[in-house]
């Protein structure tokens, strides 16, 4: 290690001029890369702060889908069943390995089937069983089986209480009527208690909903859902989640959100391109140096240097150049942050405070290190090809 | 002892060496002579583990070098051999001292030890006062002396010199030959390639090559 340092200190004296020029150019591009990368985060942050300030009570939005079934299917609940039996402790028990859990939180029950029909109503006190769609009643496990229901989604609290995992089968029993026990496979486990302990995934899959209510539906033609976010800034995630699920939320801020998001991606893209250019410049430092020093490398090998020593010598140039450019680029970015903020704030309605996130810088640094590691392998090959005899042949 | 056994070297169908065998005892001063293209430099490079033969083997102190890997050969070049070339191969932007230190840096010696050995070597060749000068500022004769200092700084047993006086005038050439003779007197094995028969007379043994073949091997006092 020490001999690499000794050689490095010796060799840098003969190549420092070209290194300095490259490092300065790389630093300037690096400055752009770092600044834009940080800015891309700060623009979003500034806009979210602006939203929270403007809409202190949160934001509401609507979803317009063709049918309730469409909503559930888009939510990934193609084979769904919702069974909420609330406030009927003796009606339905769920058990697994001798552990029994009952639900007793609500006075409402719902059953959702996978055929686009929905039955939803307040359960009369006199009702002792659950009701099937199409006006049929079901009272036991056999009935469920006949209607092709084998799966159920349960809350994490219930799963924990039962000690059951996804893929395992639980028993649903009806102790009040002593009806047949149903065997259901736990298709998934979800977080949250708002929607009950045993449901299909449609309501909870987007955790952003504080409340979801069907405002209207007529024979499965149109269904409007109303959602809201308590913190206005959460609308970013809500919109993203809904779009991933195939929904088109209706929201007056949508265009603005898209614009800010686009700005972020453009900034990140330019930043990444700048970073690649920086890497290219830095790599060229060593490529040019190695090419220019082929005879010297051959001479080092002739005098007894192993390939690994020579590779480490020139790799240390790359590392040094990277560190120098990174340090200089970071310093320049911090110096220029007010300038950048000024430019951004004159074109936007909200205020952007440009910070230099340590995490962002660290990410950039680590990416650089990965690039350097790849180059290390490539340099090793290039230097391996240079043989001691090349020193004599070049004469 | 260097034992060269049935060496062949081929370049694109042309045999630079054909079945060359010879033995060099420790402490000898051997001159390899012959016309240009006779294979003398090729033979020197093969002895110094700079080049590899197409066939045959080099045995140094009982060790067959063809069985060695690249790193082992590098170690051999660093410790056993000192190299001197017609074109010096000094780094012109390095100081003379730093040039002499390079093989010692490669060996991993500490700075103080390196400096002591390098200064001693420069003193041997009469260049101690130029230690801090850039190598590029030296005259041809001084450059070759610096190259000799680099070759001997690590105290190698064998000095391989390829046309060491080729780029020098008669006076400087004489100085270099005297240095080589002094090194030989000090116990070093010296193998020198030269096409100059006058320079070859400095050696105690004269091996002549012609068209890649060993044609004569003479000893003289």
């Amino acid at each position: 290690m020490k001999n690499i340092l000794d050689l490095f200190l010796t060799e840098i004296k003969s190549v420092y001029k070209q290194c300095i020029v490259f490092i300065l150019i790389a630093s300037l591009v690096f400055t752009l890369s770092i600044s834009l990368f940080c800015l891309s985060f700060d623009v979003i942050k500034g806009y979210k702060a602006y939203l929270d300030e403007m809409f202190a009570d949160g934001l509401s939005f609507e979803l317009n889908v063709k049918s309730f079934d469409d909503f559930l299917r888009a939510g990934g609940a193609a084979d769904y069943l919702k069974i909420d039996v609330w406030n009927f402790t003796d009606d339905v028990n769920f058990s697994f390995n001798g552990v029994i859990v009952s639900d007793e939180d609500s006075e409402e029950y719902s059953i959702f089937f996978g055929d686009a029909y929905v039955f939803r109503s307040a359960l009369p006190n006199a009702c002792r069983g659950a009701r099937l769609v199409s006006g049929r009643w079901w009272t036991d496990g056999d009935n469920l089986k006949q209607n092709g229901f084998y799966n159920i989604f349960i809350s994490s609290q219930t799963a924990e209480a039962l000690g059951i995992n996804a893929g395992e089968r639980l028993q649903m029993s009806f102790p009040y009527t002593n009806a047949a026990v149903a065997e259901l496979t736990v298709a998934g486990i979800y977080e949250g208690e708002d929607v009950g302990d045993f449901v299909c995934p449609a309501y909870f899959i987007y955790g952003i909903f504080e409340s979801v209510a069907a405002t209207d539906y007529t024979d499965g033609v149109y269904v409007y859902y109303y959602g809201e976010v308590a913190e206005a800034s959460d609308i970013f995630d809500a919109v993203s989640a809904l779009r991933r699920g195939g929904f088109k939320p209706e929201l007056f801020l949508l265009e603005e959100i898209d614009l800010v998001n686009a700005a972020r991606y453009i900034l990140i893209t330019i930043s990444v391109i700048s970073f690649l250019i920086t890497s290219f410049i830095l790599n060229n430092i060593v490529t040019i140096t190695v090419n220019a020093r082929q005879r010297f490398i051959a001479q080092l090998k002739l005098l007894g240097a192993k390939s690994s020593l020579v590779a480490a010598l020139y790799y240390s140039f790359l590392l040094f150049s990277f560190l120098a450019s990174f340090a200089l680029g970071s310093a320049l970015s911090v110096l220029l942050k007010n300038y950048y903020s000024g430019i951004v704030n004159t074109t936007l309605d909200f205020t952007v405070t440009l910070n230099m996130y340590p995490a962002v810088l660290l990410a950039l640094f680590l990416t650089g290190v990965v690039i350097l590691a790849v180059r290390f392998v490539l340099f090793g090959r290039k230097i391996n090809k240079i043989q001691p005899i090349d020193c004599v042949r070049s004469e | 002892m260097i034992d060269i056994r049935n060496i062949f070297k081929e370049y694109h169908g042309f045999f630079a060496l054909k079945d060359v065998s010879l033995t060099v005892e420790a402490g000898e001063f051997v001159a390899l002579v012959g016309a240009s293209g006779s294979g003398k430099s090729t033979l020197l490079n093969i002895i110094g583990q700079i080049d590899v033969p197409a066939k045959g083997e080099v045995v140094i102190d009982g060790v067959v070098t063809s069985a060695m890997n690249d790193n082992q050969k590098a170690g051999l070049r660093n410790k056993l051999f000192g190299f001197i070339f017609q074109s010096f191969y000094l780094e012109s932007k390095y100081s003379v001292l730093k040039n002499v230190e390079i093989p010692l840096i490669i060996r991993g010696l500490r700075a103080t030890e390196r400096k002591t050995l390098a200064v001693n070597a420069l003193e041997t060749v009469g260049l101690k006062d130029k230690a801090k000068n850039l190598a590029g500022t030296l005259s041809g004769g001084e450059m070759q002396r610096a190259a000799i200092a680099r070759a001997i700084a690590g105290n190698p047993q064998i000095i391989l010199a390829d046309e060491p006086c080729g780029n020098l005038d008669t006076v400087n050439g004489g100085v270099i030959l005297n240095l080589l003779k002094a090194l030989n007197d000090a116990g070093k094995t010296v193998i020198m390639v030269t096409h100059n028969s006058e320079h070859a007379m400095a050696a105690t043994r004269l091996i002549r090559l012609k068209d890649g073949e060993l044609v004569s091997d003479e000893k003289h006092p």
Side-chain angles (χ1 to χ4, degrees):
Chain A
M1 191 66 193
K2 192 174 178 308
N3 49 2
I4 295 170
L5 184 65
D6 286 333
L7 274 176
F8 173 76
L9 294 174
T10 306
E11 180 66 348
I12 200 166
K13 287 177 189 168
S14 59
V15 295
Y16 75 96
K17 281 181 186 165
Q18 70 197 56
C19 278
I20 284 174
V21 173
F22 274 109
I23 287 169
L24 283 176
I25 297 169
S27 301
L28 293 175
V29 189
F30 224 154
T31 305
L32 183 70
S33 176
I34 292 168
S35 303
L36 293 184
F37 205 72
C38 293
L39 191 62
S40 69
F41 286 84
D42 289 320
V43 164
I44 296 291
K45 194 180 165 191
Y47 184 65
K48 283 184 174 178
Y50 160 79
L51 287 179
D52 283 338
E53 193 180 337
M54 292 293 290
F55 306 97
D57 296 331
L59 270 173
S60 59
F61 59 92
E62 280 185 353
L63 293 178
N64 184 350
V65 291
K66 283 188 291 183
S67 67
F68 196 67
D69 183 60
D70 180 39
F71 177 85
L72 295 173
R73 285 182 187 281
D79 181 22
Y80 51 83
L81 162 66
K82 173 169 180 167
I83 303 172
D84 287 356
V85 184
W86 297 341
N87 206 27
F88 286 89
T89 310
D90 293 329
D91 267 352
V92 176
N93 287 341
F94 291 90
S95 57
F96 178 69
N97 282 347
V99 180
I100 300 173
V101 171
S102 297
D103 195 309
E104 47 189 55
D105 290 341
S106 172
E107 294 183 354
E108 187 179 74
Y109 101 106
S110 307
I111 301 171
F112 297 146
F113 286 94
D115 59 359
Y117 292 97
V118 176
F119 183 88
R120 180 187 177 92
S121 74
L123 188 67
N125 286 337
C127 182
R128 294 300 180 216
R131 184 178 296 179
L132 283 178
V133 292
S134 307
R136 287 176 294 166
W137 294 78
W138 62 265
T139 52
D140 59 25
D142 290 340
N143 203 327
L144 275 172
K145 194 188 285 184
Q146 285 162 13
N147 283 280
F149 295 115
Y150 306 105
N151 298 326
I152 189 165
F153 294 81
I154 63 174
S155 70
S156 58
Q157 291 88 351
T158 306
E160 196 176 328
L162 287 171
I164 196 167
N165 295 309
E168 292 180 311
R169 290 165 70 80
L170 55 70
Q171 285 78 46
M172 185 167 70
S173 58
F174 308 89
Y176 191 85
T177 59
N178 289 321
V181 173
E183 286 265 337
L184 295 170
T185 301
V186 177
I189 297 169
Y190 61 90
E191 298 291 334
E193 293 176 304
D194 291 347
V195 290
D197 286 340
F198 312 97
V199 296
C200 76
Y203 276 4
F204 57 81
I205 199 164
Y206 305 109
I208 52 165
F209 290 85
E210 277 213 326
S211 65
V212 178
T215 55
D216 183 28
Y217 71 92
T218 308
D219 296 330
V221 179
Y222 283 105
V223 182
Y224 296 94
Y225 296 97
Y226 171 78
E228 65 181 10
V229 288
E231 293 287 333
S233 53
D234 289 342
I235 195 69
F236 261 84
D237 298 330
V239 166
S240 299
L242 288 168
R243 280 176 168 164
R244 278 200 301 275
F247 298 113
K248 289 180 181 171
E250 292 178 5
L251 177 72
F252 70 102
L253 283 172
L254 217 53
E255 197 177 325
E256 200 168 285
I257 287 173
D258 285 344
L259 197 67
V260 173
N261 263 328
R264 168 166 65 171
Y265 291 123
I266 289 170
L267 289 171
I268 288 174
T269 304
I270 299 173
S271 170
V272 169
I273 291 170
S274 308
F275 187 65
L276 292 175
I277 291 172
T278 310
S279 304
F280 177 76
I281 293 169
L282 292 174
N283 284 331
N284 268 358
I285 294 178
V286 185
T287 305
I288 290 170
T289 306
V290 167
N291 286 341
R293 302 291 283 163
Q294 281 202 35
R295 193 189 59 76
F296 178 65
I297 290 168
Q299 187 188 326
L300 285 176
K301 289 192 169 188
L302 188 148
L303 294 173
K306 295 174 185 172
S307 289
S308 55
L309 175 69
V310 182
L313 168 65
Y314 288 96
Y315 184 68
S316 58
F317 275 103
L318 182 60
L319 194 62
F320 170 77
S321 306
F322 172 73
L323 291 175
S325 302
F326 185 78
L328 202 56
S330 302
L332 278 173
S333 303
V334 172
L335 288 174
L336 290 173
K337 72 175 184 178
N338 290 337
Y339 176 70
Y340 274 105
S341 299
I343 292 173
V344 172
N345 289 330
T346 53
T347 55
L348 296 175
D349 291 334
F350 52 92
T351 305
V352 174
T353 307
L354 193 61
N355 297 304
M356 291 298 151
Y357 297 117
V360 172
L361 293 180
L362 185 66
L364 216 52
F365 178 79
L366 291 176
T367 311
V369 169
V370 171
I371 291 172
L372 293 183
V374 172
R375 291 301 305 180
F376 182 58
V377 175
L378 299 178
F379 276 133
R381 286 180 190 160
K382 189 175 177 69
I383 285 168
N384 265 339
K385 285 183 183 169
I386 302 173
Q387 293 298 315
I389 190 70
D390 295 326
C391 175
V392 185
R393 278 187 191 143
S394 64
E395 194 174 355
Chain B
M1 187 180 76
I2 303 168
D3 195 6
I4 294 153
R5 298 173 183 167
N6 309 107
I7 293 287
F8 286 82
K9 181 68 184 178
E10 184 189 359
Y11 293 113
H12 309 296
F14 165 75
F15 278 93
L17 291 173
K18 298 173 207 165
D19 199 18
V20 174
S21 296
L22 63 100
T23 301
V24 178
E25 298 293 340
E28 278 193 294
F29 189 160
V30 178
L32 295 174
V33 297
S36 180
S38 60
K40 53 191 188 300
S41 290
T42 304
L43 180 60
L44 192 82
N45 291 338
I46 288 172
I47 293 170
Q49 304 306 305
I50 299 170
D51 207 350
V52 288
K55 223 167 111 182
E57 56 189 23
V58 178
V59 183
I60 299 173
D61 294 334
V63 179
V64 180
T65 58
S66 57
M68 292 178 160
N69 61 31
D70 284 349
N71 285 344
Q72 288 170 323
K73 287 180 181 175
L76 205 62
R77 287 196 297 272
N78 183 259
K79 289 176 183 157
L80 189 67
F81 296 111
F83 296 94
I84 303 165
F85 295 97
Q86 182 176 356
S87 297
F88 322 130
Y89 299 137
L90 296 175
E91 280 307 301
S92 58
K93 289 180 181 174
Y94 287 15
S95 71
V96 173
L97 183 68
K98 193 54 79 177
N99 267 288
V100 176
E101 277 189 68
I102 288 176
L104 307 175
I105 293 174
I106 292 168
R107 198 179 291 187
L109 298 183
R110 298 170 76 174
T112 48
E113 192 180 354
R114 280 193 329 244
K115 195 170 180 184
T116 306
L117 290 170
V119 169
N120 287 344
L122 285 170
E123 196 167 19
T124 304
V125 300
L127 276 182
K128 188 181 174 187
D129 57 327
K130 304 247 176 173
K132 290 182 181 172
N133 292 20
L134 289 181
T137 64
L138 300 180
S139 69
E142 287 172 330
M143 280 192 182
Q144 195 58 296
R145 281 193 280 153
I148 292 174
R150 184 182 60 190
I152 64 174
N155 194 26
Q157 288 306 300
I158 303 163
I159 305 292
L160 301 177
D162 192 352
E163 301 281 8
C165 311
N167 277 347
L168 303 178
D169 57 36
T170 313
V171 176
N172 279 309
V175 170
I176 298 304
L177 283 175
N178 285 336
L179 275 171
L180 291 176
K181 270 197 273 191
L183 289 170
N184 180 238
D185 291 342
K188 308 286 183 200
T189 304
V190 179
I191 303 176
M192 177 178 72
V193 164
T194 180
H195 64 275
N196 186 316
S197 52
E198 208 172 302
H199 293 163
M201 296 311 288
T204 55
R205 183 176 168 194
L206 200 145
I207 295 172
R208 190 173 299 278
L209 292 165
K210 187 180 179 186
D211 297 332
E213 290 180 278
L214 197 154
V215 291
S216 69
D217 187 349
E218 304 162 11
K219 289 192 178 179
H220 59 85

